[in-house]
Amino acid sequence: MGTGASSPAVFPPPPGERLAAGDALEQGRTALVTGDADRAFRLLAEARPSMENGQAWAWCSALDAVALGRPYRAAELFASIREDPKFQQLARAVLDRLATPLPTASFKPEGSPWPGILPQALKGLVALRPSADGGLILATRERLDLMSANGQVLASQPLPGLIDLNLDPSGLPVALGTGQFFLADHLVTLPPSVTSAISIAVSPDNKVLVLDSKANAFFILDPKGILVDRKSLAIEEPGKIRADAMGRIYVTSRRDRSVTILNGDLGPLKVFRPKEHGFDVRRLDDLQVDPVGNMLFSDSRHGEIFLFSPEGRLLARSPESGGVAVSAAGWDGLYGLLFYDERACQVGRLKW
């Protein structure tokens, strides 16, 4: 996650100095996740003649188009990836959230509550997320459960002191417990230097980011838990850490309900404060981000959620009155949004 090499002096480079297409794509991907979108564009242009019909090139080029402020081009590139319908949804999401100035929507319950979930399965719920196969991931204070669409428990992993749940870039769960974390399908021990871990995320280059509240820093680990780097922060009461598909890192402050956003090279990008945009988010208990940087805020005490664009435009929120009380929300970054209503002791889906 360091800074990429300097940009070439001449573009396109002379034939004898051009990279192999695969190398150009890989270096372009690295440039993107370390915050150099212009260099990524040049490298991806080098790779294009022989790789533009491949999913890897289209994915990286679409993300780079977002980073360069070209949402229509990004949507076109996402839509060109036909191997998986999620890319068609992402193309639509980019247009809805970054390009089209739609009116603010309201989140509303959709369909029936999730079937087959017994009340004891929801006791001590910390978080929930949609699973990649259409199921449900439930995190309670002591375990992680994977449930099917009909409420059957497919797998269960004990994880004492579970405090945070997230999804890695491939949609698999990453969860933080006391002194260890769960990544995809196995447990990993935290290094001794991480003493007050409160939140976890995985970057697009598969680095594990662990936020430490007392150190006011986050630690960068490899998937085996080996310490790679440490980034000190100046944030009052840090709460959650997240990452988007372009490598940007998001850290919340519980004190002033703000989000500090860093580039992939760990340099400061901006601080987002909803109040400065005219929105009173009374608590910030959870943050989730989609691949292109739209942010879902959750306030469990007041049962509210807010979806903001990267520029601070309010895209959707809980209804002003009535509706459902959202004790926790889980988002796949596309259009799959789940909620837990503690009062009704049920899980359901939201639409907007």
Side-chain angles (χ1 to χ4, degrees):
M1 299 182 71
T3 304
S6 60
S7 301
V10 177
F11 183 81
E17 298 179 14
R18 292 179 184 174
L19 295 168
D23 293 338
L25 173 60
E26 188 57 36
Q27 290 189 30
R29 183 185 291 112
T30 300
L32 175 63
V33 301
T34 54
D36 195 342
D38 290 327
R39 182 168 187 265
F41 179 83
R42 290 191 284 270
L43 288 161
L44 292 166
E46 283 192 59
R48 179 174 182 172
S50 59
M51 303 196 76
E52 65 176 323
N53 294 323
Q55 178 176 322
W57 183 89
W59 166 253
C60 194
S61 296
L63 292 174
D64 193 56
V66 171
L68 293 170
R70 303 175 63 198
Y72 292 101
R73 175 57 176 161
E76 178 186 18
L77 286 163
F78 283 132
S80 73
I81 305 173
R82 305 202 177 272
E83 294 88 343
D84 188 327
K86 74 179 181 183
F87 294 108
Q88 310 305 308
Q89 293 186 57
L90 187 52
R92 174 188 160 200
V94 166
L95 295 177
D96 285 349
R97 300 168 197 171
L98 300 184
T100 308
L102 298 173
T104 300
S106 291
F107 292 112
K108 298 176 182 177
E110 180 180 33
S112 302
W114 203 283
I117 301 179
L118 299 176
Q120 55 263 36
L122 299 172
K123 185 177 181 180
L125 186 80
V126 172
L128 74 166
R129 296 289 187 267
S131 68
D133 60 358
L136 169 66
I137 305 165
L138 292 179
T140 62
R141 288 188 291 265
E142 297 296 325
R143 72 182 189 280
L144 195 65
D145 289 334
L146 173 63
M147 310 193 81
S148 69
N150 61 9
Q152 179 185 0
V153 178
L154 301 176
S156 187
Q157 172 64 55
L159 186 58
L162 200 160
I163 193 173
D164 193 26
L165 170 66
N166 210 343
L167 299 175
D168 74 5
S170 62
L172 295 175
V174 54
L176 179 65
T178 302
Q180 58 186 341
F181 62 91
F182 179 83
L183 180 62
D185 61 0
H186 60 282
L187 291 172
V188 182
T189 301
L190 288 169
S193 53
V194 183
T195 60
S196 302
I198 57 170
S199 186
I200 192 166
V202 178
S203 69
D205 54 354
N206 291 313
K207 297 294 192 304
V208 179
L209 314 175
V210 180
L211 184 63
D212 188 303
S213 60
K214 289 186 179 178
N216 205 351
F218 65 85
F219 294 82
I220 302 170
L221 314 177
D222 74 6
K224 296 181 179 179
I226 304 300
L227 181 64
V228 175
D229 201 354
R230 178 185 188 274
K231 171 67 176 179
S232 296
L233 301 166
I235 296 175
E236 293 185 297
E237 297 184 25
K240 299 294 183 185
I241 188 166
R242 303 293 183 239
D244 69 19
M246 290 174 286
R248 297 178 297 197
I249 298 167
Y250 303 71
V251 184
T252 70
S253 166
R254 291 171 293 174
R255 173 67 65 85
D256 67 359
R257 285 88 69 195
S258 67
V259 183
T260 296
I261 305 172
L262 308 175
N263 273 322
D265 62 358
L266 306 186
L269 183 60
K270 64 179 179 180
V271 179
F272 173 64
R273 296 183 176 88
K275 187 173 287 188
E276 294 178 357
H277 295 264
F279 306 110
D280 183 20
V281 177
R282 292 176 286 181
R283 276 175 42 134
L284 178 48
D285 297 309
D286 196 6
L287 172 73
Q288 296 163 66
V289 297
D290 72 3
V292 296
N294 297 286
M295 299 170 283
L296 184 76
F297 285 45
S298 297
D299 176 351
S300 63
R301 175 177 292 177
H302 301 99
E304 296 179 317
I305 52 176
F306 304 81
L307 180 62
F308 292 101
S309 76
E311 294 75 31
R313 183 163 53 94
L314 183 64
L315 302 172
R317 66 171 301 172
S318 303
E320 297 286 349
S321 60
V324 64
V326 180
S327 307
W331 190 30
D332 64 2
L334 296 171
Y335 291 93
L337 180 58
L338 307 179
F339 73 93
Y340 167 54
D341 184 339
E342 186 175 21
R343 294 180 307 184
C345 197
Q346 65 184 26
V347 171
R349 295 178 175 85
L350 293 173
K351 64 177 181 179
W352 70 97

